Amino acid sequence: MESKNITTVTEFVLLGLTESHKLQYCLYVIFFLIYVITWLLNFTIIATVAVDQQLHTPMYVLLANLAFLDISNSSVNTPKLLSGLLTQHKIISFNKCFLQIFFFHFIAGAMSFLLIGMTVDRFVAICEPLRYLSIMSWNVCTGLVAAAWFGGFLHSIIQTGLLLQLPFCGPNVLDNFYCDVPQVIKVACTDTHMAELQMVFNSGVILITLFVILITSYIVILFKIRTCITEGKRKALSTCGTQITVVSLIFIPCIFTYAQPYKKYPRDKVASIVYTVFAPMLNPIIYTLRNTEMKKAIRRTLGKIFLSAGIQKPDRQ
Protein backbone atom coordinates (compact mmCIF):
# COMPACT_ATOMS: atom_id res chain seq x y z
CA MET A 1 0.00 0.00 0.00
CA GLU A 2 1.20 3.49 -0.85
CA SER A 3 1.33 6.02 1.96
CA LYS A 4 -0.10 9.43 1.21
CA ASN A 5 1.08 12.59 2.87
CA ILE A 6 -1.95 14.52 4.09
CA THR A 7 -1.37 18.14 5.04
CA THR A 8 -3.57 19.37 7.86
CA VAL A 9 -4.52 23.03 7.79
CA THR A 10 -3.24 24.82 10.90
CA GLU A 11 -4.21 28.37 9.95
CA PHE A 12 -6.45 30.32 7.61
CA VAL A 13 -5.67 33.41 5.53
CA LEU A 14 -8.37 36.10 5.56
CA LEU A 15 -8.56 38.27 2.44
CA GLY A 16 -10.25 41.09 4.34
CA LEU A 17 -12.44 43.83 2.88
CA THR A 18 -10.19 45.59 0.38
CA GLU A 19 -6.60 45.72 -0.88
CA SER A 20 -6.57 49.52 -1.23
CA HIS A 21 -4.35 51.01 1.52
CA LYS A 22 -6.09 54.41 1.49
CA LEU A 23 -9.51 52.79 1.75
CA GLN A 24 -8.26 50.51 4.53
CA TYR A 25 -7.21 53.47 6.70
CA CYS A 26 -10.48 55.27 6.02
CA LEU A 27 -12.52 52.17 6.91
CA TYR A 28 -10.42 51.66 10.05
CA VAL A 29 -11.35 55.10 11.38
CA ILE A 30 -15.05 54.58 10.57
CA PHE A 31 -15.30 51.10 12.10
CA PHE A 32 -13.21 52.05 15.14
CA LEU A 33 -15.59 54.94 15.90
CA ILE A 34 -18.58 52.63 15.44
CA TYR A 35 -17.00 50.09 17.79
CA VAL A 36 -16.36 52.72 20.49
CA ILE A 37 -19.90 54.13 20.13
CA THR A 38 -21.34 50.61 20.35
CA TRP A 39 -19.50 49.99 23.62
CA LEU A 40 -20.46 53.36 25.11
CA LEU A 41 -24.16 53.10 24.22
CA ASN A 42 -24.62 49.51 25.35
CA PHE A 43 -22.52 49.85 28.51
CA THR A 44 -24.52 52.96 29.46
CA ILE A 45 -27.74 50.96 29.11
CA ILE A 46 -26.45 48.06 31.21
CA ALA A 47 -25.11 50.37 33.95
CA THR A 48 -28.32 52.41 34.03
CA VAL A 49 -30.56 49.36 34.36
CA ALA A 50 -28.31 47.94 37.07
CA VAL A 51 -28.17 51.18 39.11
CA ASP A 52 -31.70 52.59 38.68
CA GLN A 53 -34.25 50.74 40.85
CA GLN A 54 -37.15 52.01 38.73
CA LEU A 55 -35.84 50.00 35.77
CA HIS A 56 -35.81 46.67 37.59
CA THR A 57 -38.71 45.38 35.49
CA PRO A 58 -38.85 42.56 32.91
CA MET A 59 -38.80 44.91 29.92
CA TYR A 60 -35.59 46.67 30.97
CA VAL A 61 -33.93 43.43 32.05
CA LEU A 62 -34.51 42.14 28.51
CA LEU A 63 -33.11 45.38 27.08
CA ALA A 64 -30.01 45.10 29.30
CA ASN A 65 -29.48 41.53 28.09
CA LEU A 66 -29.76 42.74 24.49
CA ALA A 67 -27.16 45.43 25.23
CA PHE A 68 -24.78 42.82 26.70
CA LEU A 69 -25.24 40.62 23.61
CA ASP A 70 -24.58 43.63 21.37
CA ILE A 71 -21.27 44.30 23.13
CA SER A 72 -20.35 40.62 22.88
CA ASN A 73 -21.38 40.37 19.23
CA SER A 74 -19.36 43.44 18.31
CA SER A 75 -16.31 42.17 20.20
CA VAL A 76 -16.20 38.78 18.45
CA ASN A 77 -15.43 40.04 14.94
CA THR A 78 -14.77 43.81 14.96
CA PRO A 79 -11.30 43.64 16.63
CA LYS A 80 -10.18 41.16 13.96
CA LEU A 81 -11.64 43.43 11.28
CA LEU A 82 -9.76 46.43 12.68
CA SER A 83 -6.44 44.59 12.97
CA GLY A 84 -6.86 43.26 9.44
CA LEU A 85 -7.25 46.79 8.08
CA LEU A 86 -3.84 47.74 9.49
CA THR A 87 -1.78 44.73 8.42
CA GLN A 88 -1.12 42.79 5.25
CA HIS A 89 -0.80 39.48 7.14
CA LYS A 90 -4.41 38.57 7.88
CA ILE A 91 -3.84 35.14 9.41
CA ILE A 92 -5.89 33.31 12.04
CA SER A 93 -5.04 29.93 13.56
CA PHE A 94 -7.32 26.94 13.03
CA ASN A 95 -8.42 26.83 16.69
CA LYS A 96 -9.07 30.58 16.91
CA CYS A 97 -11.03 30.42 13.66
CA PHE A 98 -13.41 27.80 15.03
CA LEU A 99 -13.67 29.59 18.38
CA GLN A 100 -14.67 32.72 16.47
CA ILE A 101 -17.33 30.76 14.57
CA PHE A 102 -18.65 29.22 17.80
CA PHE A 103 -18.94 32.50 19.73
CA PHE A 104 -20.31 34.41 16.75
CA HIS A 105 -23.16 31.94 16.19
CA PHE A 106 -23.69 31.49 19.94
CA ILE A 107 -24.16 35.22 20.52
CA ALA A 108 -26.02 35.91 17.27
CA GLY A 109 -28.34 32.97 17.95
CA ALA A 110 -29.01 34.11 21.52
CA MET A 111 -29.74 37.62 20.24
CA SER A 112 -32.22 36.32 17.65
CA PHE A 113 -34.10 34.29 20.26
CA LEU A 114 -34.00 37.21 22.72
CA LEU A 115 -35.67 39.46 20.14
CA ILE A 116 -38.55 36.96 20.14
CA GLY A 117 -38.74 37.25 23.94
CA MET A 118 -38.78 41.05 23.71
CA THR A 119 -41.61 40.88 21.17
CA VAL A 120 -43.57 38.67 23.57
CA ASP A 121 -43.03 41.28 26.29
CA ARG A 122 -44.24 44.14 24.06
CA PHE A 123 -47.20 42.06 22.83
CA VAL A 124 -48.36 41.44 26.41
CA ALA A 125 -47.77 45.09 27.41
CA ILE A 126 -49.86 46.45 24.52
CA CYS A 127 -52.51 43.76 24.11
CA GLU A 128 -52.95 42.77 27.79
CA PRO A 129 -51.87 45.86 29.79
CA LEU A 130 -53.99 45.01 32.85
CA ARG A 131 -52.52 41.52 33.11
CA TYR A 132 -48.95 42.48 32.20
CA LEU A 133 -47.44 42.11 35.68
CA SER A 134 -49.10 38.75 36.27
CA ILE A 135 -48.14 37.35 32.86
CA MET A 136 -44.60 38.81 32.61
CA SER A 137 -43.47 37.70 36.05
CA TRP A 138 -39.81 37.44 37.01
CA ASN A 139 -39.94 33.68 36.45
CA VAL A 140 -41.23 34.20 32.90
CA CYS A 141 -38.62 36.91 32.23
CA THR A 142 -35.81 34.71 33.53
CA GLY A 143 -37.14 31.80 31.47
CA LEU A 144 -37.13 33.90 28.28
CA VAL A 145 -33.53 35.01 28.86
CA ALA A 146 -32.36 31.48 29.74
CA ALA A 147 -34.16 30.04 26.70
CA ALA A 148 -32.50 32.62 24.43
CA TRP A 149 -29.00 31.80 25.71
CA PHE A 150 -29.63 28.06 25.59
CA GLY A 151 -31.07 28.31 22.06
CA GLY A 152 -28.00 30.22 20.88
CA PHE A 153 -25.64 27.74 22.53
CA LEU A 154 -27.46 24.72 21.06
CA HIS A 155 -27.50 26.24 17.59
CA SER A 156 -23.80 27.11 17.73
CA ILE A 157 -22.55 23.84 19.23
CA ILE A 158 -24.39 21.84 16.55
CA GLN A 159 -23.12 24.09 13.75
CA THR A 160 -19.51 24.04 14.97
CA GLY A 161 -19.60 20.30 15.72
CA LEU A 162 -20.76 19.49 12.18
CA LEU A 163 -18.07 21.76 10.76
CA LEU A 164 -15.28 20.12 12.80
CA GLN A 165 -16.10 16.75 11.25
CA LEU A 166 -14.92 18.00 7.84
CA PRO A 167 -11.30 17.39 6.75
CA PHE A 168 -9.18 20.49 6.01
CA CYS A 169 -6.04 19.62 4.08
CA GLY A 170 -5.72 21.94 1.12
CA PRO A 171 -6.73 25.55 0.44
CA ASN A 172 -6.87 27.78 3.48
CA VAL A 173 -7.85 31.17 2.02
CA LEU A 174 -11.17 32.64 3.22
CA ASP A 175 -12.67 35.50 1.25
CA ASN A 176 -13.91 37.44 4.26
CA PHE A 177 -12.64 39.52 7.19
CA TYR A 178 -13.58 36.88 9.79
CA CYS A 179 -14.15 33.14 9.97
CA ASP A 180 -17.68 32.04 9.14
CA VAL A 181 -19.40 28.81 8.24
CA PRO A 182 -20.05 29.30 4.47
CA GLN A 183 -16.45 30.21 3.58
CA VAL A 184 -14.91 27.52 5.82
CA ILE A 185 -17.15 24.81 4.35
CA LYS A 186 -15.93 25.69 0.85
CA VAL A 187 -12.25 24.99 1.68
CA ALA A 188 -12.91 21.51 3.12
CA CYS A 189 -11.20 18.61 1.31
CA THR A 190 -14.39 16.67 0.60
CA ASP A 191 -17.77 16.89 -1.04
CA THR A 192 -19.47 19.68 0.92
CA HIS A 193 -23.01 19.22 -0.40
CA MET A 194 -24.33 17.62 2.79
CA ALA A 195 -22.45 20.11 4.99
CA GLU A 196 -24.04 23.02 3.12
CA LEU A 197 -27.49 21.47 3.48
CA GLN A 198 -26.87 21.12 7.22
CA MET A 199 -25.90 24.80 7.35
CA VAL A 200 -29.06 25.77 5.48
CA PHE A 201 -31.21 23.75 7.88
CA ASN A 202 -29.43 24.76 11.12
CA SER A 203 -29.00 28.46 10.27
CA GLY A 204 -31.14 29.40 7.29
CA VAL A 205 -34.37 27.69 8.33
CA ILE A 206 -34.05 28.99 11.91
CA LEU A 207 -33.46 32.54 10.65
CA ILE A 208 -36.47 32.41 8.31
CA THR A 209 -38.69 30.99 11.07
CA LEU A 210 -37.65 33.63 13.62
CA PHE A 211 -38.00 36.41 11.05
CA VAL A 212 -41.54 35.32 10.13
CA ILE A 213 -42.47 35.11 13.84
CA LEU A 214 -41.06 38.58 14.53
CA ILE A 215 -42.74 40.25 11.55
CA THR A 216 -46.06 38.51 12.29
CA SER A 217 -45.89 39.64 15.93
CA TYR A 218 -45.17 43.23 14.93
CA ILE A 219 -48.07 43.21 12.44
CA VAL A 220 -50.45 41.94 15.14
CA ILE A 221 -49.20 44.63 17.54
CA LEU A 222 -49.61 47.33 14.88
CA PHE A 223 -53.21 46.29 14.19
CA LYS A 224 -53.90 46.31 17.93
CA ILE A 225 -52.41 49.81 18.25
CA ARG A 226 -54.51 51.17 15.35
CA THR A 227 -57.76 50.29 17.15
CA CYS A 228 -57.03 52.88 19.85
CA ILE A 229 -54.88 55.84 18.83
CA THR A 230 -53.58 57.94 21.72
CA GLU A 231 -50.32 59.85 22.23
CA GLY A 232 -48.73 56.79 23.81
CA LYS A 233 -50.04 54.57 21.03
CA ARG A 234 -48.56 56.89 18.39
CA LYS A 235 -45.13 56.55 20.01
CA ALA A 236 -45.56 52.75 20.12
CA LEU A 237 -46.59 52.80 16.46
CA SER A 238 -43.45 54.77 15.53
CA THR A 239 -41.24 52.48 17.63
CA CYS A 240 -42.70 49.29 16.10
CA GLY A 241 -42.21 50.65 12.59
CA THR A 242 -38.56 51.45 13.31
CA GLN A 243 -37.96 48.07 14.93
CA ILE A 244 -39.42 46.28 11.89
CA THR A 245 -36.93 48.18 9.72
CA VAL A 246 -33.98 47.23 11.94
CA VAL A 247 -35.06 43.57 12.23
CA SER A 248 -35.37 43.40 8.43
CA LEU A 249 -31.96 45.04 8.02
CA ILE A 250 -30.39 42.37 10.25
CA PHE A 251 -32.31 39.24 9.26
CA ILE A 252 -32.64 39.62 5.49
CA PRO A 253 -28.86 39.75 4.78
CA CYS A 254 -28.38 36.79 7.16
CA ILE A 255 -31.08 34.80 5.36
CA PHE A 256 -29.42 35.41 1.99
CA THR A 257 -26.09 34.28 3.47
CA TYR A 258 -27.17 31.12 5.33
CA ALA A 259 -30.42 29.96 3.68
CA GLN A 260 -28.72 28.75 0.49
CA PRO A 261 -25.53 26.90 -0.47
CA TYR A 262 -22.65 29.37 -0.46
CA LYS A 263 -21.93 31.27 -3.66
CA LYS A 264 -19.50 34.16 -3.80
CA TYR A 265 -21.30 37.47 -4.33
CA PRO A 266 -19.86 41.01 -4.06
CA ARG A 267 -22.62 41.89 -1.57
CA ASP A 268 -21.56 39.18 0.92
CA LYS A 269 -19.00 41.33 2.71
CA VAL A 270 -21.41 44.27 2.83
CA ALA A 271 -24.03 42.02 4.41
CA SER A 272 -21.45 40.79 6.94
CA ILE A 273 -20.62 44.38 7.89
CA VAL A 274 -24.31 45.13 8.46
CA TYR A 275 -25.01 42.37 10.98
CA THR A 276 -21.58 42.25 12.68
CA VAL A 277 -20.63 45.95 12.93
CA PHE A 278 -23.69 48.17 12.41
CA ALA A 279 -26.41 46.08 14.08
CA PRO A 280 -24.83 46.17 17.60
CA MET A 281 -24.80 49.98 17.36
CA LEU A 282 -28.33 50.30 15.94
CA ASN A 283 -30.00 48.03 18.51
CA PRO A 284 -29.47 50.30 21.55
CA ILE A 285 -30.58 53.37 19.56
CA ILE A 286 -33.77 51.77 18.25
CA TYR A 287 -34.79 49.48 21.11
CA THR A 288 -33.66 51.48 24.13
CA LEU A 289 -32.61 55.09 23.64
CA ARG A 290 -35.94 55.95 21.96
CA ASN A 291 -37.58 54.94 25.24
CA THR A 292 -38.54 58.02 27.27
CA GLU A 293 -38.19 56.29 30.64
CA MET A 294 -34.74 55.01 29.75
CA LYS A 295 -33.58 58.49 28.69
CA LYS A 296 -34.85 59.92 32.00
CA ALA A 297 -33.06 57.15 33.91
CA ILE A 298 -29.79 57.85 32.08
CA ARG A 299 -30.06 61.52 32.98
CA ARG A 300 -30.72 60.60 36.63
CA THR A 301 -27.72 58.25 36.69
CA LEU A 302 -25.39 60.78 35.03
CA GLY A 303 -26.67 63.46 37.40
CA LYS A 304 -25.78 61.32 40.41
CA ILE A 305 -22.31 60.63 38.99
CA PHE A 306 -21.56 64.32 38.35
CA LEU A 307 -23.06 65.29 41.71
CA SER A 308 -20.87 62.81 43.59
CA ALA A 309 -17.83 63.99 41.63
CA GLY A 310 -18.64 67.58 42.54
CA ILE A 311 -18.95 66.70 46.23
CA GLN A 312 -15.63 64.83 46.30
CA LYS A 313 -13.72 67.56 44.46
CA PRO A 314 -13.43 70.07 47.38
CA ASP A 315 -11.97 67.33 49.62
CA ARG A 316 -8.82 67.25 47.45
CA GLN A 317 -8.05 70.93 48.05
Side-chain angles (χ1 to χ4, degrees):
M1 295 179 64
E2 295 182 0
S3 60
K4 296 182 179 180
N5 293 324
I6 299 177
T7 304
T8 302
V9 170
T10 58
E11 61 185 23
F12 293 99
V13 178
L14 302 171
L15 294 183
L17 288 179
T18 177
E19 294 181 358
S20 170
H21 295 300
K22 291 183 179 179
L23 186 56
Q24 283 179 350
Y25 294 135
C26 180
L27 290 175
Y28 178 87
V29 173
I30 294 172
F31 293 144
F32 178 76
L33 290 175
I34 291 174
Y35 185 52
V36 171
I37 292 170
T38 299
W39 261 88
L40 288 175
L41 291 177
N42 286 290
F43 183 77
T44 300
I45 291 166
I46 295 170
T48 303
V49 173
V51 170
D52 198 308
Q53 294 290 331
Q54 297 182 33
L55 300 184
H56 291 182
T57 62
M59 181 180 76
Y60 293 105
V61 170
L62 292 173
L63 289 173
N65 271 273
L66 179 64
F68 179 77
L69 286 169
D70 281 327
I71 289 176
S72 303
N73 185 28
S74 179
S75 299
V76 169
N77 296 323
T78 306
K80 191 64 181 177
L81 167 63
L82 293 174
S83 65
L85 290 171
L86 294 180
T87 179
Q88 298 303 310
H89 302 287
K90 307 177 182 69
I91 295 175
I92 185 170
S93 68
F94 183 90
N95 291 336
K96 287 183 178 179
C97 179
F98 275 82
L99 279 174
Q100 189 177 53
I101 291 173
F102 170 77
F103 282 110
F104 173 57
H105 283 268
F106 176 25
I107 295 165
M111 184 182 299
S112 301
F113 289 115
L114 185 67
L115 290 175
I116 297 290
M118 293 172 62
T119 307
V120 171
D121 176 77
R122 290 299 82 207
F123 180 85
V124 174
I126 292 174
C127 299
E128 297 288 343
L130 299 178
R131 300 175 56 204
Y132 175 76
L133 292 177
S134 61
I135 295 174
M136 287 301 299
S137 63
W138 280 110
N139 288 337
V140 172
C141 178
T142 304
L144 289 174
V145 173
W149 282 93
F150 178 74
F153 175 79
L154 190 63
H155 156 70
S156 184
I157 201 71
I158 292 173
Q159 186 72 82
T160 310
L162 293 172
L163 204 59
L164 282 170
Q165 294 178 10
L166 299 175
F168 297 94
C169 56
N172 66 338
V173 179
L174 306 180
D175 189 15
N176 209 336
F177 60 89
Y178 69 105
C179 286
D180 201 8
V181 176
Q183 291 84 9
V184 172
I185 284 178
K186 277 301 182 182
V187 297
C189 304
T190 185
D191 181 14
T192 59
H193 180 68
M194 286 303 299
E196 290 184 278
L197 288 179
Q198 290 169 345
M199 178 195 71
V200 169
F201 179 77
N202 189 42
S203 295
V205 173
I206 291 175
L207 282 168
I208 292 172
T209 303
L210 294 179
F211 182 62
V212 170
I213 292 173
L214 283 169
I215 295 300
T216 303
S217 302
Y218 280 125
I219 291 172
V220 172
I221 291 173
L222 288 173
F223 274 108
K224 182 69 176 178
I225 292 172
R226 288 184 60 185
T227 61
C228 180
I229 295 294
T230 62
E231 185 62 29
K233 300 290 186 180
R234 286 193 184 95
K235 291 181 180 179
L237 187 65
S238 172
T239 301
C240 280
T242 310
Q243 289 176 3
I244 289 174
T245 304
V246 173
V247 165
S248 301
L249 188 66
I250 296 171
F251 274 82
I252 291 176
C254 290
I255 289 171
F256 276 108
T257 301
Y258 300 106
Q260 60 180 340
Y262 176 68
K263 293 180 181 179
K264 183 179 177 181
Y265 294 110
R267 66 172 183 264
D268 289 342
K269 293 181 182 179
V270 177
S272 298
I273 289 291
V274 170
Y275 54 76
T276 61
V277 179
F278 285 100
M281 182 184 68
L282 290 176
N283 279 338
I285 296 173
I286 301 304
Y287 283 95
T288 308
L289 298 181
R290 285 169 59 91
N291 184 294
T292 304
E293 186 60 35
M294 174 60 75
K295 287 189 286 189
K296 290 179 180 177
I298 291 174
R299 291 192 197 103
R300 287 196 299 268
T301 303
L302 291 176
K304 291 177 182 178
I305 293 172
F306 289 128
L307 182 61
S308 62
I311 292 172
Q312 292 175 5
K313 197 172 183 180
D315 295 338
R316 298 177 182 176
Q317 296 178 352

